[in-house]
Amino acid sequence: MAIPRSVEWKEDSIKILNQQLIPNSVEFLTLETIEDVWDAIKTLKVRGAPAIGIAAAFGLALAGSKFEGEDLQEFHTHIREKSLYLASSRPTAVNLTWALRRLQNKIENAASVNEAKTNLVHEAILISVEDENICYNIGQHALSLFNKNDSVMTICNAGSIATAYYGTALAPFHLAAEVDFPIHVFACETRPLLQGARLTTWELLQSGVNVTLITDSMAAHTMKTKKVDAVIVGADRISANGDTANKIGTYGLAILAKQHGIPFYVAAPLSTFDISLKNGDEIPIEERKEEEILKVGNEWVAPKNTSVYNPAFDVTPAELISGIITEQGIIHETEFDKIPDLFTTKSL
Ligand SMILES: CSC[C@H]1O[C@H](OP(=O)(O)O)[C@H](O)[C@@H]1O
């Protein structure tokens, strides 16, 4: 796989792949302040639930490293404030607050400011390293669901650049390409920000995966008239009963898959589960600015004064999901009642 990493720790700064510019150019940004990190997450220069969590973790570690003084209580106050600030960038992907909480837990018993600073950096790096291994395992479990020459549909970009590496929903396709296991992918363009058209096609072509781009409105006709053996998508937050928030358009894809008797899978790490929420009704859905729908690139495609509704995510009810693919294995649709146990026991 020759795909650049989306987020990297550089000691006194954070290097990110600027996902806004792909596929027209592959450029990197150096984030030197926590404000840079907040903006990069908010404007989707770095995006994708796991990548957002990793960027926030590095951002908090960076904020910690810039703290001046030796008073431990003042440091904890500083970190709590910076954590709340970073958490305000985007509300839906639970990986963001999960990562921030994990770092704060790691400094609870620090004996000094220096020890706490070191713990923040080490834990943020650990989250990134773990995520790459987690995504590899998700990819292997997902690949076991497919047969050679299958045709699989996906939406948005749950790819390598949405994570530390490999991706979640796209991981099986990257791994398949490495072992000469032919799979075809239908990538939905994913209006309004076109993560599918811009990012998923770009990633899969880099890996030599056979990918066909369709508009979101073509999904039903494609399922009806073409070979579509499965649908696989990422996730931003999964509630205790298996309801899943993912990019807007995912819920519609799940309904279409059910109508056409096509299995519908969610691929996500355990860090994307939020079992404090009973069901998907409780998942916060980000609404984004109107211009994202009124314009495509720099071109207005609707009158400027047109009213707009721009939810960035929707929630797919568990009953439409055939299975949730995690790093520990596949939670089949009949096992969703066991999801809370995953966070008390070690394996499926
Ligand atoms: C691997 S999780 C990727 C997940 O995040 C995307 O949202 P966004 O592009 O707004 O960050 C989308 O929901 C993907 O499935």
Side-chain angles (χ1 to χ4, degrees):
M1 263 176 72
I3 294 164
R5 291 177 183 280
S6 54
V7 197
E8 290 182 281
W9 177 249
K10 294 295 181 183
E11 297 304 324
D12 58 353
S13 64
I14 301 159
K15 176 185 175 187
I16 65 164
L17 171 69
N18 185 349
Q19 298 191 37
Q20 281 184 345
L21 302 181
I22 292 173
N24 298 311
S25 67
V26 178
E27 295 179 30
F28 299 89
L29 287 171
T30 299
L31 309 181
E32 296 177 327
T33 67
I34 194 169
E35 291 75 17
D36 290 346
V37 177
W38 190 95
D39 172 76
I41 294 171
K42 181 71 177 178
T43 58
L44 281 76
K45 295 185 182 77
V46 57
R47 46 140 306 277
I52 288 172
I54 294 164
F58 285 153
L60 194 60
L62 191 63
S65 67
K66 292 177 183 290
F67 178 83
E68 292 178 1
E70 298 304 322
D71 184 301
L72 205 47
Q73 286 314 311
E74 285 179 12
F75 184 77
H76 281 296
T77 302
H78 172 76
I79 292 301
R80 272 194 299 274
E81 287 169 359
K82 298 306 181 186
S83 181
L84 286 171
Y85 170 67
L86 286 167
S88 71
S89 55
R90 296 187 74 190
T92 304
V94 69
N95 309 63
L96 175 52
T97 49
W98 167 84
L100 294 169
R101 193 163 42 248
R102 179 165 156 177
L103 259 68
Q104 291 180 82
N105 291 343
K106 230 25 193 181
I107 62 172
E108 269 179 3
N109 302 316
S112 70
V113 167
N114 274 340
E115 182 184 326
K117 287 181 176 182
T118 302
N119 290 0
L120 288 175
V121 172
H122 287 180
E123 196 65 12
I125 292 170
L126 186 57
I127 286 172
S128 181
V129 170
E130 285 176 357
D131 189 67
E132 177 170 341
N133 293 321
I134 284 165
C135 289
Y136 179 82
N137 290 332
I138 287 172
Q140 293 291 5
H141 291 307
L143 192 51
S144 71
L145 293 167
F146 304 141
N147 299 304
K148 282 193 175 182
N149 300 310
D150 269 0
S151 200
V152 183
M153 188 176 289
T154 191
I155 189 168
C156 199
N157 171 262
S160 187
I161 60 176
T163 66
Y165 205 64
Y166 292 112
T168 53
L170 299 193
F173 308 133
H174 289 308
L175 296 183
E178 292 181 353
V179 293
D180 194 22
F181 186 103
I183 287 185
H184 169 253
V185 177
F186 280 110
C188 295
E189 66 173 357
T190 321
R191 276 278 287 155
L193 296 181
L194 302 174
Q195 290 92 325
R198 293 187 303 109
L199 307 177
T200 290
T201 55
W202 175 80
E203 268 202 38
L204 295 181
L205 289 171
Q206 300 270 328
S207 285
V209 176
N210 178 11
V211 56
T212 302
L213 178 62
I214 60 173
T215 66
D216 304 330
S217 55
M218 293 174 188
H221 179 70
T222 303
M223 287 183 188
K224 183 180 176 185
T225 61
K226 298 290 185 185
K227 181 179 186 289
V228 180
D229 301 290
V231 177
I232 188 168
V233 301
D236 292 81
R237 195 181 298 231
I238 303 171
S239 58
N241 70 337
D243 291 350
T244 296
N246 195 53
K247 185 51 51 195
I248 190 76
T250 304
Y251 174 35
L253 223 47
I255 292 169
L256 292 174
K258 183 66 88 179
Q259 171 65 20
H260 292 84
I262 297 170
F264 181 93
Y265 297 107
V266 170
L270 294 181
S271 56
T272 301
F273 286 73
D274 180 356
I275 60 168
S276 72
L277 304 183
K278 285 193 310 295
N279 60 53
D281 295 344
E282 299 177 53
I283 298 175
I285 299 297
E286 177 186 15
E287 289 195 28
R288 294 184 62 86
K289 63 182 185 182
E290 297 185 345
E291 279 201 7
E292 291 181 355
I293 292 187
L294 292 171
K295 298 174 79 171
V296 175
N298 292 320
E299 292 299 314
W300 292 93
V301 291
K304 293 181 182 177
N305 62 344
T306 308
S307 69
V308 164
Y309 174 43
N310 183 14
F313 301 95
D314 57 27
V315 176
T316 298
E319 60 263 25
L320 295 178
I321 300 172
S322 308
I324 303 176
I325 306 154
T326 77
E327 61 271 34
Q328 288 190 7
I330 300 163
I331 311 168
H332 291 283
E333 55 192 322
T334 57
E335 301 171 319
F336 288 171
D337 60 323
K338 297 188 177 66
I339 287 174
D341 299 342
L342 278 175
F343 298 87
T344 53
T345 55
K346 279 295 170 202
S347 64
L348 287 177

